[in-house]
Structure formats: structure tokens, C-alpha cells
Amino acid sequence: MLDVRGLSVGYAGNDVVHGASFEVRTGEAVAIIGSNGAGKTTLLRSVCGLLAPTEGAVTFDGGEVTGTTTAELARAGMAYVPAERHLFPGMTVVENLTLGAYPGRPEQQQLDFVYELFPRLKERTAQTAGTMSGGEQQMLAVGRALMGQPRLLMLDEPTTGLAPKLAADAYRALKVLKEQGMTILVAEQQVPLALDLADRGYVLEDGRMELSGTSEELAGNDEVRRAYLGIA
Amino acid sequence: MGAVLLDGIVGGLQLGLLAMGLSLLYGLGGILNLAHGAVAVTAAIVASLVVDGVGYPIGVAAVIGVGAAALLTLAMDRTVMQAVYKQEGEHRVLLSLLLSLGVAFLVDGLLEWRYPSGALSIRIGGGPVDVFGIGMRRGSLYAAAIALVALGGMIFFLRRTTLGRAVRSIIEDEQGARLVGIDPARVRTLIFVVSGALAGLVAMTNSMSAPVDVRSGFAFTINALIVTVVGGLGSASGALLAGLLLGIVNVLSAFYIGAYVTSIILLTAAAVTILVKPSGLLGRSR
């Protein structure tokens, strides 16, 4: 589904990510874990076209998409939910969801699907996004991404600013999506949650992919346990 | 008093329409188009040439004039503004001001040179019409009706259509818009052309009560800027509200004090708005 080869990317000529490679196969959930500042966000932003890589290639759905704009990638089925969510704050829940289906009209079936996943959104269809709580905004951001019926759902730190219970709720929803066959890529510092969801994971440190393996392998790895799971 | 107020509303609707395009364009792309008035005047002069030179009926000429204004903004978007779009933030606003001012000088200069006495005045015949017991000129009534239909159309477009929602979403959060598959550059081009057409339309409606000549561009631009600032940059409904308010302020000050003070009073109103509410009446502070 997604194949990233030797990607280097950064800001103003200074690379933050150095030759990162990883792949996500159809139907898989993959986690990229790493501490704050490791380059996870930069990496994801470059995959979805918000940042131009200095080197490397991104292949999506069998075709090379390096240099393709974010809007085109979104229409091709690559949905990205950034940590800051980038909702439309002055618009209602329904309007945000409707725009998720752009350029098409939202299908009732898809809307029902999102409401079933996040019943809170259905209770608040007429509320403006900017006035919602962090947890609700996160639901709306994922819901908006789902309205476009994406083939790949990428999320950057979906637990940002959420209390532990809400963070767990967010991952429960992702698990439901995964069980229904959604391909998911998530970047996360809350490693236990991410590894619980994912089939496989990669460890990004200082912009380099240092480790990869199944979630069980990573959870059992001494370095991962020490650095990210708080187990000596 | 009633007649003055009604006049203010008629003028205000047109001011709102004039400012709407300018305001949306700022919200969409952080650009201020100082050639807005020159675009309006171009529509008026083209329409007058079509009527006088070719002899088409005024309705057809008006459509051609509005089309010319739309084409001029399309040309701006495709050429000089490309340099502006490459810039970000403050640099973009500044460069858009400078380059569009250049376009304004160029267009105004060309028109004054080629058609020094060019002017459009659309005469609507027939006697005054009774509105709430006040006799209104037919020209004002037509102008108000056209402005209302255009404003209604714009509001319907922005609220109810997919493309209109896309316009608002870019103003709300451009990156969010990209993430749902909207191409901001294309939408900006569309709104640039729409703003040109609206400016052209306002030149037509204005010419129903007073002639629009080759030197009217500056006043159009200044009025549009004031209304845009008062209404809130990027807010379409703010432009309409501010247009109505300032339209009424405009005629009241002209009626009770004198036409010479109106621009001072309008500018004061804009300055006070900026001091009290920097984001404008309906603009959201960012």
C-alpha cells in the first residue's frame, strides 16, 4: 500500500529525517514510535506531500507519488490526521464531515459509519468544531478523514492533549477500524498504546530508523523497554 | 430622513457587494487587490464602448463589461500574482499591495489615455416608484434589486454548495482544506475571477444613479478597502453588514453635513473599528 524508500527531509536545508525507509501493507496497522523531536511528524508530513523530501521516494498504491500535492493524495485515498487536527473551527460538525467527502457529496452510509464509531459526533452535529473538547475534536478529525473513504489512514500522535482515558478511547476506535480492514499508519510517543494496536512497528531516533519488527518483538526489546516503556 | 436612509441601504448593498470579493480574496490567500477599482472601471468603459461603438443594447453591453472585468482578474491571477503566491505571510500581503497597485496605475492610465472622456451611465427610464411611501428613482431600485440577487447568490454559493464550502474551509484552515483534497490555488483563482465580476457588476449598478468614469477607480478601491476592514478581512457576511452600515453613514453625513466630509467620516469609522475590534465586525481574530 505504502512504500517509503530512503526518505530525507527537513526544513530550510537542514534534514531532520535521514534516509528513512518503511512500508505499510494493505490491511496492516503500523506504528512509528520515537520520542519527541525524533522526526515522526516531519516524516509523515513529507509522505502526504506537505513537505518536499530532499531525497528518496514514496510509492502509494503501486505508483510513485513523490512530489504529488497533499490535495491530490487526499483524493487518491491517503488520509492524514495531523496532531493539531486542522479542523475548520468556525464550521459545524456536519460541515466538517461533509468537507471530508470533498469533492463529492457525503454518502449517508459513510456518515452513519462515522456516527456509529463516534456517537458523540452524532449528538453534536450542529456544534462548531472550535468549541468542542480536545477528545471530541480528535474524533471529528478522524471522522472527517474517514468521510473520504480513504485506503490508508495516517495519524500523527492522535493522543496529543488527551487525558489517558480519552487516549485509550481514541485507540479503541482505531482498533475497530483496523478490524474492519482499514490500513493504518500511526506515529506515536505513547508506545504501549501504539504497539497494542499495531501489527508491526518502527523505531525512529534522531531522524533514523533504528529498529523494526513485529509489535511483540519491539515490546520485548530491551532498548525499547528502557527508552519508551519505562521498564528497566 | 426615510428617503435618505433608503438611499443609504441601496448604496450599502452595492458597497457590500464591492467589498465581498476583496474580503474573500484576502481570507483565501492573504492578498489585497488594490486594482479592484480599476477592474470595476474597466467593466464600465468596456460596456460604454459596446453600447456607443457597437450599438448593442445596454443589457448585453453590461454582461460583456462584467465579462471583461472577470477576464482582467483572471489575467492578473495567471501573471503578476504568481510572483505574489510564491511569498508567504506578511511578504505576500505587501507584494500583493505593490503589484496590484501597479496594475491599477497601468489600467487606469491606459483607460485615461485612450478614453479620456469615457464614462458609463445607464439610464433607467420611468417615474419614481413608491416604496414605503417614499418616491424612489427606478435606477436605485434596479441597482438594489441586482445587488440583492448577487449577494443572495454569493451567500447561497458559500453556504450551500460544495465549492462554496471549500472556499470557507480554506479561509478557516488552509492546511485542513488541503488534507480533505481541496486545491487552494484553484479555488483562489475562481474567487479572484468572481471578485472581478462582482466589481464589474457594481460598476453597472452604480452607473444607474451616477456616471462611472475613467477616474472612478480610486474611489471604488478605497471604499471597498474600508468596508472590508470594518466588516472583517475574510468575512463575506461582515462585508455585507459593513457595507450597509457605511452606506447609511455615508448618505447621512452627506445629507446633514456635506458630501465633502463623507470620506473623512468613513475613514474615521474604519479607524475606530480597528481600534475597538481589530478583526472587524464579523472577522475572527487569529
Side-chain angles (χ1 to χ4, degrees):
Chain A
M1 172 73 68
L2 180 71
D3 189 25
V4 174
R5 286 283 150 249
L7 206 70
S8 294
V9 57
Y11 303 89
N14 296 316
D15 281 351
V16 174
V17 173
H18 311 276
S21 297
F22 67 95
E23 64 170 335
V24 183
R25 292 188 284 263
T26 307
E28 239 187 351
V30 171
I32 294 176
I33 58 180
S35 50
N36 211 357
K40 300 187 298 296
T41 301
T42 309
L43 181 59
L44 288 198
R45 280 173 62 85
S46 135
V47 169
C48 76
L50 287 167
L51 270 178
T54 46
E55 249 178 279
V58 179
T59 310
F60 177 60
D61 245 354
E64 190 174 333
V65 295
T66 326
T68 308
T69 66
T70 307
E72 282 174 273
L73 285 172
R75 290 197 296 264
M78 185 194 285
Y80 175 54
V81 182
E84 318 82 50
R85 292 155 197 150
H86 287 282
L87 293 168
F88 308 122
M91 298 169 94
T92 63
V93 168
V94 169
E95 284 183 304
N96 270 275
L97 292 176
T98 301
L99 277 160
Y102 186 88
R105 295 212 148 256
E107 284 173 30
Q108 192 56 44
Q109 197 187 337
Q110 195 67 12
L111 209 54
D112 291 341
F113 173 69
V114 170
Y115 285 150
E116 199 178 317
L117 191 62
F118 302 116
R120 275 303 266 262
L121 297 182
K122 193 172 185 177
E123 295 161 19
R124 302 177 174 241
T125 49
Q127 190 175 344
T128 48
T131 62
M132 299 175 93
S133 72
E136 290 161 350
Q137 291 195 7
Q138 180 58 37
M139 293 175 198
L140 184 53
V142 174
R144 186 180 71 178
L146 291 175
M147 286 306 292
Q149 309 193 5
R151 303 169 51 74
L152 169 66
L153 180 63
M154 299 201 302
L155 306 104
D156 185 19
E157 310 238 358
T159 56
T160 301
L162 299 189
K165 189 193 166 296
L166 290 174
D169 284 348
Y171 268 90
R172 241 190 306 282
L174 293 180
K175 223 165 195 172
V176 171
L177 286 173
K178 189 197 162 211
E179 276 156 18
Q180 299 188 351
M182 177 66 73
T183 310
I184 298 175
L185 172 64
V186 62
E188 186 60 81
Q189 3 179 6
Q190 301 217 23
V191 176
L193 283 175
L195 289 185
D196 187 42
L197 167 78
D199 302 300
R200 294 188 303 114
Y202 295 83
V203 179
L204 189 69
E205 267 173 27
D206 291 330
R208 291 188 168 80
M209 288 295 193
E210 295 292 352
L211 266 178
S212 69
T214 65
S215 294
E216 290 76 27
E217 285 167 3
L218 290 177
N221 181 290
D222 285 344
E223 267 180 67
V224 174
R225 288 164 72 90
R226 236 191 331 273
Y228 303 108
L229 299 176
I231 303 164
Chain B
M1 178 69 191
V4 177
L5 221 54
L6 218 50
D7 258 355
I9 292 171
V10 172
L13 288 172
Q14 297 174 68
L15 275 178
L17 199 53
L18 185 66
M20 195 173 276
L22 204 66
S23 190
L24 284 175
L25 208 47
Y26 181 83
L28 275 181
I31 53 175
L32 272 173
N33 177 19
L34 290 186
H36 204 54
V39 170
V41 167
T42 302
I45 300 304
V46 167
S48 78
L49 291 174
V50 171
V51 169
D52 300 339
V54 191
Y56 282 167
I58 184 63
V60 177
V63 171
I64 294 175
V66 170
L71 272 180
L72 178 56
T73 44
L74 179 63
M76 275 182 79
D77 177 74
R78 298 285 87 193
T79 57
V80 285
M81 298 313 277
Q82 290 299 317
V84 173
Y85 301 149
K86 290 197 178 79
Q87 304 292 321
E88 302 265 345
E90 214 170 287
H91 294 288
R92 182 184 276 193
V93 181
L94 279 177
L95 194 64
S96 74
L97 284 173
L98 286 173
L99 287 185
S100 64
L101 189 61
V103 172
F105 283 145
L106 188 73
V107 172
D108 281 342
L110 274 174
L111 289 177
E112 280 193 49
W113 170 52
R114 296 292 297 154
Y115 312 104
S117 57
L120 177 72
S121 156
I122 299 178
R123 278 179 207 85
I124 308 286
V129 182
D130 187 78
V131 179
F132 306 124
I134 297 157
M136 279 199 74
R137 278 172 300 163
R138 255 169 223 269
S140 298
L141 219 53
Y142 276 43
I146 293 170
L148 267 178
V149 169
L151 285 164
M154 280 303 287
I155 286 167
F156 178 82
F157 166 70
L158 290 170
R159 296 263 146 213
R160 293 269 172 264
T161 67
T162 303
L163 204 52
R165 275 194 209 100
V167 171
R168 280 162 55 219
S169 78
I170 299 170
I171 296 174
E172 294 266 333
D173 190 314
E174 181 171 330
Q175 199 184 110
R178 286 178 202 277
L179 290 176
V180 299
I182 295 164
D183 181 348
R186 279 201 196 173
V187 175
R188 186 179 54 212
T189 301
L190 171 79
I191 291 302
F192 216 134
V193 172
V194 168
S195 85
L198 291 181
L201 192 64
V202 170
M204 301 304 147
T205 57
N206 268 8
S207 76
M208 290 174 183
S209 41
V212 172
D213 67 34
V214 283
R215 277 163 292 274
S216 305
F218 181 70
F220 274 126
T221 301
I222 294 299
N223 284 337
L225 269 180
I226 292 175
V227 174
T228 300
V229 168
V230 171
L233 289 160
S235 167
S237 33
L240 175 54
L241 181 64
L244 279 172
L245 280 175
L246 293 179
I248 293 168
V249 169
N250 191 20
V251 290
L252 286 181
S253 54
F255 185 73
Y256 287 107
I257 309 172
Y260 60 95
V261 296
T262 56
S263 46
I264 297 170
I265 288 182
L266 286 183
L267 273 171
T268 310
V272 169
T273 310
I274 293 175
L275 286 173
V276 177
K277 195 163 185 300
S279 55
L281 293 175
L282 298 183
R284 218 149 8 82
S285 43
R286 337 199 143 211

